């Protein structure tokens, strides 16, 4: 549910990084936080982190001039990936304008990817949406690990909805692909908002 | 659905929040939607990073409501976080967003809660108008 504030000339958009536990969602946000100029960013908020696992969400607000005449504020959130945190995952997903699905490329995690993607669809359905109603991209993370599934196989598992979506290979720990993913989802979300408004 | 806020909406919301601040002597007040986005804000934000404040209060309120259901309540109508110097009061407005108030020793939780109840009633029609125009 994007907010278009004509009075303030601001558009605020919520983007949620979704995916199975330990797939690299927080690592994506940490890299963005580390690289974006301090002038355009406030601190990243990570709440209730147990070891290296997110228990509630991470939050990172960024501002861009992607839309002429407007300040575009993108609010990046991660959800907790572990299966047992579905209630909090659902709360964070509320009002999302776009989703980055961060899949773990390891062979052993393909089942977790599929289950998490199904969980995303279920949670969107609880909010009255289907996966085709919301802009999303697929990020195949951890491509540097030896035991990775082929991209074609991950496409077969995850990119099989009515509308095929952009997919990206990434190594979030090194930042590879992180901004390609962010740019793509931001552009897709803004395009959808502009289309909705013109309609 | 996209929420669209025009100059007129902003002026109405700010006028109501300004009245609330004057009446309650709270430090600041803001309206945040359920997803954590700020509709409008008024007051003394010096030293406060408002976007995380909005995101965290929305998260906090949402988890509190889920908590209410766990113990068989439909909802908790208001949530207070009490600090040594500053405290936060959060309440639902028009089944859409939250009135988030930060207050200090200049006032009391009772006064804030009382004013917030009246303010929520005033905000209701304005927010309902914004929602009805949204698409």
């Amino acid at each position: 549910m994007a907010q278009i504030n004509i009075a303030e000339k601001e558009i605020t958009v919520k983007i949620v990084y979704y995916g199975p536990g330990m797939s690299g969602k927080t690592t994506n946000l940490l890299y963005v936080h580390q690289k974006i100029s301090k002038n355009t960013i406030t601190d990243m908020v990570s709440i209730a982190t147990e070891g290296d696992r997110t228990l509630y969400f991470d939050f990172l607000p960024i501002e861009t001039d992607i839309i002429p005449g407007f300040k575009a504020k993108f609010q990046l959130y991660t959800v907790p990936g572990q299966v047992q945190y579905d209630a909090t995952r659902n709360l964070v997903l509320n009002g999302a304008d776009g989703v980055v699905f961060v899949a773990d490329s390891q062979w052993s995690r393909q089942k977790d990817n599929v289950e998490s993607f199904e969980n995303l669809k279920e949670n969107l359905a609880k909010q009255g949406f289907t996966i085709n109603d919301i802009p999303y991209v697929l990020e195949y993370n951890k491509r540097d690990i030896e035991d990775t599934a082929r991209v074609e196989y991950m496409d077969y598992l995850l990119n099989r909805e009515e509308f095929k979506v952009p997919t990206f290979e990434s190594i979030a720990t090194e930042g590879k692909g992180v901004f390609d993913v962010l740019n793509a989802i931001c552009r897709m979300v803004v395009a959808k908002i502009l289309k909705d408004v013109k309609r | 659905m996209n929420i669209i806020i025009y100059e007129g909406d902003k002026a109405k919301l700010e006028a109501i929040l300004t009245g609330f601040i004057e009446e309650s002597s709270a430090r600041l007040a803001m309206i945040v939607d359920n997803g954590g986005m700020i509709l409008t804000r008024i007051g003394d934000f010096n030293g406060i990073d408002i976007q995380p404040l909005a995101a965290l209060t929305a998260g906090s309120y949402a988890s509190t409501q889920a908590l209410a259901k766990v113990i068989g309540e439909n909802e908790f109508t208001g949530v207070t976080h009490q600090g040594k110097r500053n405290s936060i009061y959060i309440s639902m407005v028009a089944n859409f967003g939250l009135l988030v108030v930060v207050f200090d020793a200049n006032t009391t939780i009772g006064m804030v809660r009382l004013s917030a109840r009246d303010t929520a009633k005033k905000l209701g029609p304005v927010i309902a108008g914004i929602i009805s125009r949204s698409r």
Side-chain angles (χ1 to χ4, degrees):
Chain A
M1 192 164 57
Q3 188 191 110
I4 303 164
N5 193 325
I6 309 279
E8 303 272 358
K9 295 210 175 305
E10 279 180 5
I11 293 184
T12 311
V13 168
K14 180 173 181 176
I15 292 171
V16 174
Y17 282 66
Y18 210 95
M22 307 294 282
S23 64
K25 301 174 290 298
T26 300
T27 311
N28 267 266
L29 259 61
L30 283 170
Y31 187 79
V32 173
H33 181 241
Q34 187 190 324
K35 287 294 170 190
I36 286 188
S37 155
K38 289 288 174 198
N39 297 330
T40 60
I41 204 165
T42 52
D43 279 342
M44 177 166 158
V45 175
S46 285
I47 53 170
T49 303
E50 177 80 14
D52 52 0
R53 295 184 166 202
T54 305
L55 290 187
Y56 199 164
F57 62 75
D58 306 301
F59 171 72
L60 178 65
I62 57 176
E63 285 183 18
T64 75
D65 52 3
I66 196 171
I67 307 164
F70 272 80
K71 192 190 291 174
K73 292 182 168 180
F74 293 92
Q75 303 190 330
L76 312 183
Y77 287 77
T78 66
V79 297
Q82 279 69 29
V83 175
Q84 66 269 32
Y85 300 135
D86 197 41
T88 48
R89 199 156 42 238
N90 214 1
L91 297 177
V92 178
L93 190 62
N94 184 20
D97 298 294
V99 172
V100 174
F101 186 84
V102 184
D104 192 324
S105 293
Q106 295 175 87
W107 264 112
S108 56
R109 301 296 311 281
Q110 297 310 309
K111 184 167 173 276
D112 297 332
N113 290 335
V114 171
E115 284 175 359
S116 178
F117 194 73
E118 289 302 314
N119 175 257
L120 168 63
K121 290 199 280 187
E122 285 163 19
N123 281 334
L124 285 172
K126 285 178 195 165
Q127 295 173 22
F129 299 108
T130 72
I131 189 79
N132 294 318
D133 293 331
I134 191 164
Y136 72 101
V137 297
L138 297 168
E139 176 180 343
Y140 302 152
N141 193 26
K142 304 191 188 178
R143 298 306 298 175
D144 54 333
I145 289 177
E146 280 181 17
D147 170 36
T148 51
R150 287 176 59 170
V151 168
E152 292 78 6
Y153 182 62
M154 293 185 73
D155 276 340
Y156 169 74
L157 292 177
L158 299 169
N159 203 2
R160 54 191 303 159
E161 296 300 316
E162 187 182 347
F163 302 108
K164 301 294 174 249
V165 297
T167 63
F168 298 87
E169 296 180 56
S170 71
I171 307 170
T173 48
E174 298 172 11
K176 283 184 186 162
V178 168
F179 277 97
D180 296 333
V181 168
L182 182 58
N183 283 332
I185 192 65
C186 288
R187 286 178 191 285
M188 286 166 72
V189 168
V190 168
K192 181 169 188 296
I193 292 167
L194 295 177
K195 192 177 149 198
D196 289 348
V197 169
K198 280 178 190 163
R199 200 165 54 198
Chain B
M1 185 174 75
N2 300 318
I3 297 290
I4 303 175
I5 301 165
Y6 294 98
E7 288 283 358
D9 303 320
K10 181 175 180 265
K12 283 181 199 163
L13 293 172
E14 284 184 355
I16 295 169
L17 289 189
T18 301
F20 168 76
I21 294 276
E22 283 169 3
E23 187 180 296
S24 67
S25 300
R27 187 179 156 187
L28 66 90
M30 59 203 276
I31 301 165
V32 175
D33 76 12
N34 289 335
M37 291 183 192
I38 302 164
L39 267 73
T40 193
R41 58 182 198 268
I42 285 288
D44 166 23
F45 286 85
N46 194 22
I48 294 179
D49 204 346
I50 55 168
Q51 289 204 68
L53 174 65
L56 291 169
T57 46
S60 167
Y61 192 81
S63 52
T64 306
Q65 296 315 308
L67 203 55
K69 290 192 172 62
V70 169
I71 62 161
E73 288 289 327
N74 272 340
E75 60 175 358
F76 292 139
T77 48
V79 176
T80 309
H81 299 290
Q82 197 163 355
K84 278 185 184 164
R85 283 172 290 130
N86 289 298
S87 300
I88 298 177
Y89 178 70
I90 313 167
S91 59
M92 174 66 85
V93 180
N95 279 328
F96 161 78
L98 305 171
L99 172 62
V100 179
V101 183
V102 175
F103 62 99
D104 56 21
N106 283 327
T107 187
T108 61
I109 177 61
M111 191 63 211
V112 168
R113 205 178 282 158
L114 186 68
S115 303
R117 202 179 303 154
D118 292 341
T119 302
K121 282 181 195 156
K122 291 177 194 162
L123 289 169
V126 183
I127 291 177
I130 294 172
I131 294 169
S132 70
R133 275 191 281 103
S134 299
R135 54 188 173 177

